[in-house]
Amino acid sequence: MESSVAPKSKKIKLQNGEEIPFLPEDFIVEEILPRLPVKSLLRFRCVARSWCSLIESQRFMKIHLRYSIENASLALHRIIFNSIDGLKQCSLPSLFNDPFTNSITCNVDLGINFQRPMESVYLVGSCNGLVCILLDRRRFVLWNPTTRMLKNLPPFDNKMRHGSITKYGFGFDELNDDYRVFGLLSVFCVSGAYFPIRKVYSLRANSWKVVEGKDASPFDEKGFHVSGKLHWNIRYAQKCGIASFDLNTMVCGVVELPFFTELSHKLGVGVLKGCLSVHYYHRKTHVDIWLMKEYGVRDSWEKVVTVPYYHDPRENPLPTPFAIGPNGEVLLHNGDTFIIYNPKSNVFRLPQIIEHARFLNLDNYIESLAPVVPYAGLYKPSE
């Protein structure tokens, strides 16, 4: 289903004698459909059985996902966040291009109380259009916000009443074509003793597996997925680093940082433009954003932009880089405020999201057909 040259123009004649252009069905199916939005594709399943079979096939889903990811305009990229009003989402391109962006309440019933969302809902991560959510620090769900498919994962452990899940991550094991969830359960005994239980969930096996290893409590809660591995910022003895966890081999590792001249300030970890990123904060002056252009190669770290300090007395003075737009602008979030920095003009602006309460955590996802079951072809008709 690779790109090909458009077929020579043909025409068909209508009953009134008018001639209209005609495209062969195979060209429509292989060259046009993969470029369409997911909601249109779900409707087009009713056109013919062959279209339905194609759209629900695993091969087509992967081709459509590839087109969506390679779309430089970020047209199918969206932001999801939770607040006391529930889960909401908005368009990522709109934040870059428009002064005001509409937010839409997500139509999903998670069975939790959004009046205390800080305690109830944690956006673990997104991958290929699927969003993983941790509820009440005890149970996980996988959800495709575009198709509205939802899957409750099996219970993490029978010792849940004695602890809570304190560290987590979500990603894709490409070698096994499998989505996986990492969770670390912190168990507190009556005696006051503490011990961690680490497990990885496999969507293909629909089960959890215990992962042996030493405790590394100084790392952040949320792991960021790049190249089949999860990554956390770790802090120890006034120093920083990046811990990794391979979702295929279940082995922990360390990613080497860029060659900083100094490392005495705060360091953040994330994913920007599909690359592992680090954000080196120089207190009240600026933040340097580095991308690892070739994963695993230390020499491929590149400082892509320096964002000056933006003073907002209402919020944290250290905004978090969230996305880089098609023209190089940087989207940052600070509390529930979005900030866009244009490095060419050295100008900040503040896009506004309409009708949203203060959001507590957020992530971004891409619209896709990815199912929350191991195999394709199990979609239900849209309501």
Side-chain angles (χ1 to χ4, degrees):
M1 210 179 286
E2 300 295 330
S3 297
S4 61
V5 178
K8 293 183 179 180
S9 177
K10 296 181 180 180
K11 294 185 177 181
I12 57 175
K13 183 176 290 187
L14 302 179
Q15 291 182 347
N16 61 5
E18 180 182 358
E19 291 186 339
I20 61 173
F22 170 79
L23 290 175
E25 182 176 353
D26 59 349
F27 184 80
I28 296 174
V29 167
E30 296 187 6
E31 296 298 327
I32 296 179
L33 290 182
R35 293 174 167 85
L36 295 180
V38 172
K39 292 183 179 180
S40 297
L41 291 171
L42 294 179
R43 291 196 299 269
F44 290 167
R45 292 175 301 172
C46 300
V47 172
R49 288 185 178 180
S50 60
W51 281 32
C52 182
S53 298
L54 172 87
I55 292 170
E56 293 187 353
S57 70
Q58 190 175 27
R59 180 169 178 262
F60 179 84
M61 290 180 184
K62 291 183 177 180
I63 296 295
H64 180 269
L65 178 65
R66 189 192 71 206
Y67 277 123
S68 300
I69 293 174
E70 294 176 352
N71 188 329
S73 70
L74 307 178
L76 298 182
H77 289 251
R78 305 193 69 80
I79 294 176
I80 184 170
F81 51 91
N82 71 308
S83 69
I84 59 174
D85 293 336
L87 283 174
K88 292 197 170 187
Q89 51 98 347
C90 68
S91 165
L92 178 58
S94 178
L95 283 175
F96 280 110
N97 301 323
D98 305 317
F100 299 97
T101 296
N102 288 317
S103 64
I104 301 173
T105 300
C106 298
N107 185 12
V108 59
D109 182 10
L110 298 175
I112 54 92
N113 179 13
F114 273 94
Q115 295 303 311
R116 51 184 188 90
M118 182 62 79
E119 304 172 18
S120 302
V121 183
Y122 300 83
L123 296 173
V124 174
S126 71
C127 183
N128 297 341
L130 296 185
V131 176
C132 181
I133 304 173
L134 172 63
L135 301 174
D136 295 320
R137 286 198 179 273
R138 293 177 176 272
R139 58 190 178 94
F140 290 93
V141 299
L142 287 182
W143 175 47
N144 185 323
T146 311
T147 64
R148 296 190 292 175
M149 294 183 70
L150 180 74
K151 176 180 177 62
N152 291 290
L153 272 56
F156 182 91
D157 194 88
N158 59 9
K159 297 184 177 66
M160 288 300 300
R161 67 181 184 276
H162 300 301
S164 60
I165 295 171
T166 57
K167 304 183 192 305
Y168 41 78
F170 173 58
F172 185 67
D173 172 15
E174 189 170 353
L175 291 177
N176 292 300
D177 195 24
D178 190 16
Y179 291 94
R180 297 191 170 179
V181 179
F182 171 87
L184 187 150
L185 174 66
S186 297
V187 180
F188 300 92
C189 302
V190 177
S191 63
Y194 157 82
F195 65 93
I197 298 176
R198 306 165 198 81
K199 289 188 176 183
V200 170
Y201 168 82
S202 162
L203 178 61
R204 187 170 289 279
N206 192 33
S207 63
W208 292 93
K209 180 179 180 180
V210 175
V211 178
E212 302 297 336
K214 296 180 180 179
D215 187 20
S217 56
F219 62 79
D220 290 344
E221 286 193 349
K222 180 175 179 176
F224 294 90
H225 174 252
V226 178
S227 192
K229 297 181 181 180
L230 297 174
H231 303 83
W232 290 267
N233 182 23
I234 54 177
R235 306 180 184 90
Y236 52 92
Q238 302 298 318
K239 295 182 180 180
C240 298
I242 302 176
S244 69
F245 178 79
D246 193 312
L247 291 170
N248 173 250
T249 63
M250 311 291 183
V251 174
C252 296
V254 176
V255 177
E256 293 185 297
L257 292 170
F259 294 96
F260 294 119
T261 56
E262 60 175 332
L263 189 54
S264 58
H265 301 303
K266 180 181 177 181
L267 189 76
V269 176
V271 179
L272 295 172
K273 303 191 76 171
C275 298
L276 182 65
S277 65
V278 295
H279 323 132
Y280 180 36
Y281 294 90
H282 301 259
R283 183 174 294 276
K284 294 191 176 181
T285 57
H286 63 277
V287 54
D288 293 327
I289 298 177
W290 294 72
L291 301 184
M292 180 176 264
K293 294 298 185 71
E294 184 179 351
Y295 184 80
V297 179
R298 188 177 190 183
D299 289 339
S300 71
W301 280 111
E302 178 182 334
K303 185 167 70 172
V304 294
V305 65
T306 294
V307 180
Y309 172 71
Y310 179 82
H311 178 66
D312 185 347
R314 302 168 302 168
E315 302 289 357
N316 188 313
L318 301 175
T320 302
F322 187 76
I324 298 178
N327 63 354
E329 291 186 314
V330 182
L331 176 67
L332 309 99
H333 71 90
N334 197 2
D336 63 345
T337 301
F338 281 109
I339 306 168
I340 291 180
Y341 173 68
N342 187 323
K344 297 177 181 178
S345 61
N346 194 32
V347 171
F348 288 98
R349 68 179 190 274
L350 302 178
Q352 303 294 316
I353 298 181
I354 301 174
E355 295 183 357
H356 85 282
R358 184 181 182 88
F359 55 78
L360 303 170
N361 55 72
L362 70 163
D363 210 317
N364 65 81
Y365 70 93
I366 188 169
E367 294 183 3
S368 83
L369 290 160
V372 295
V373 290
Y375 303 102
L378 297 177
Y379 282 101
K380 303 295 183 183
S382 299
E383 298 179 357

